Amino acid sequence: MSKRTQHEHVHGMSGSIVTVRGVSRVFGSTLALDNVDLDIAPGEFVALLGRSGSGKSTLLRTLAGLDSPSTGSVEVPNERMVVFQEPRLLPWKTAIENVQLGLQGRARELAQAALGEVGLEHRLHAYPATLSGGEAQRAALARALVRDPKLLLLDEPFAALDALTRMRMHALIESLWQRHRLSVLLITHDVDEAILLADRALVIDRGRIIVSIAIDLPRPREPAQAGFLGLRKQLLRAIGVNFHRPELANRRVS
């Protein structure tokens, strides 16, 4: 896998790798996306937050080419990959066979290098049923990264993992993003996850992006650092959490 060393840090770049203009998506009588505009710069890490049914997954599926907008235009690179909440590995193939599936040329060599990069060099010949949840998601990440995408779309990939595994996966995805300098769009319900990983957090509600907040905290980040709590409150308010009801003031939204 080649490193995208030609990509500078997002804040010093012009132009967009993703351009969405006036995109709406209607399912029957339901307006899932409502005149959405979105730009993602090369090398930028963007998190998209919102309640269930707000339009997050519809937007991701549109960027992935899995769904077509009813109106509007979408410009995305052909070199894009999706990692879903479920790893979606073929159960009858080993980890390395899943990663090299469809590759040409030095497929096995590239797949082995990708699995090594996500810490699975010792599980090359393991079948998906024998992998832990975190290992399966690492294999799914390797399968995406081995194709050297310019855009990585993450659809709540850590939601089903336990807290410790989630922390490890956060560190892994941040290191892979910094190494390859690809653009990332992360769909998440977890406000802390968005602040820990993203350059910018968006909030979508009823199919419209209503808030865009730059996250300028120094990396590596942790919830105890200065500015983290303020960003958390800002995002939770944008999502609609009522701080007069303490039981709602958690970091996840549904």
Side-chain angles (χ1 to χ4, degrees):
M1 288 183 291
S2 64
K3 297 181 180 178
R4 299 191 179 280
T5 52
Q6 71 271 27
H7 285 170
E8 300 171 5
H9 192 272
V10 60
H11 298 301
M13 302 194 67
S14 60
S16 299
I17 199 166
V18 170
T19 304
V20 176
R21 291 292 178 270
V23 165
S24 296
R25 182 65 170 101
V26 179
F27 297 97
S29 60
T30 301
L31 184 60
L33 295 176
D34 183 8
N35 197 33
V36 171
D37 291 336
L38 173 64
D39 291 281
I40 298 177
E44 185 179 17
F45 199 128
V46 177
L48 182 63
L49 293 149
R51 297 176 181 273
S52 295
S54 60
K56 300 187 304 300
S57 292
T58 301
L59 180 55
L60 179 137
R61 289 178 60 83
T62 300
L63 297 181
L66 301 174
D67 197 6
S68 299
S70 302
T71 60
S73 64
V74 178
E75 295 180 15
V76 291
N78 291 327
E79 304 87 354
R80 62 190 187 274
M81 293 296 298
V82 186
V83 178
F84 295 97
Q85 183 174 336
E86 296 295 330
R88 302 191 180 188
L89 303 174
L90 298 178
W92 58 88
K93 291 186 177 292
T94 63
I96 193 168
E97 289 171 340
N98 267 283
V99 173
Q100 72 183 41
L101 191 66
L103 292 179
Q104 304 296 323
R106 298 161 40 237
R108 191 169 186 84
E109 179 184 344
L110 291 170
Q112 185 168 344
L115 285 164
E117 192 172 15
V118 299
L120 287 181
E121 59 277 351
H122 62 301
R123 301 289 272 155
L124 301 181
H125 306 294
Y127 285 92
T130 70
L131 298 175
S132 68
E135 287 174 335
Q137 280 296 40
R138 285 171 183 262
L141 275 172
R143 183 178 55 190
L145 290 170
V146 76
R147 287 154 177 82
D148 201 25
K150 294 179 181 177
L151 174 65
L152 182 62
L153 302 166
L154 303 174
D155 192 3
E156 300 189 60
F158 316 128
L161 304 178
D162 63 82
L164 181 58
T165 304
R166 284 169 68 90
M167 291 173 61
R168 291 171 176 163
M169 291 298 292
H170 289 165
L172 174 64
I173 197 67
E174 183 172 14
S175 68
L176 292 171
W177 165 69
Q178 290 180 336
R179 194 175 306 143
H180 294 277
R181 301 312 302 170
L182 69 168
S183 301
V184 178
L185 177 66
L186 168 68
I187 304 295
T188 180
H189 279 95
D190 191 325
V191 170
D192 280 15
E193 185 170 270
I195 300 170
L196 286 167
L197 294 174
D199 294 312
R200 182 162 52 109
L202 309 176
V203 175
I204 189 169
D205 183 52
R206 299 179 184 180
R208 306 196 72 166
I209 295 175
I210 59 171
V211 168
S212 176
I213 297 174
I215 302 174
D216 293 325
L217 301 179
R219 298 175 184 271
R221 297 169 180 164
E222 58 181 32
Q225 74 188 105
F228 198 102
L229 181 59
L231 284 167
R232 178 195 282 166
K233 288 182 176 180
Q234 194 175 355
L235 284 169
L236 286 170
R237 286 193 182 97
I239 293 164
V241 172
N242 182 355
F243 284 93
H244 296 294
R245 295 180 60 188
E247 71 275 14
L248 296 181
N250 53 36
R251 69 182 195 175
R252 290 179 62 82
V253 294
S254 58

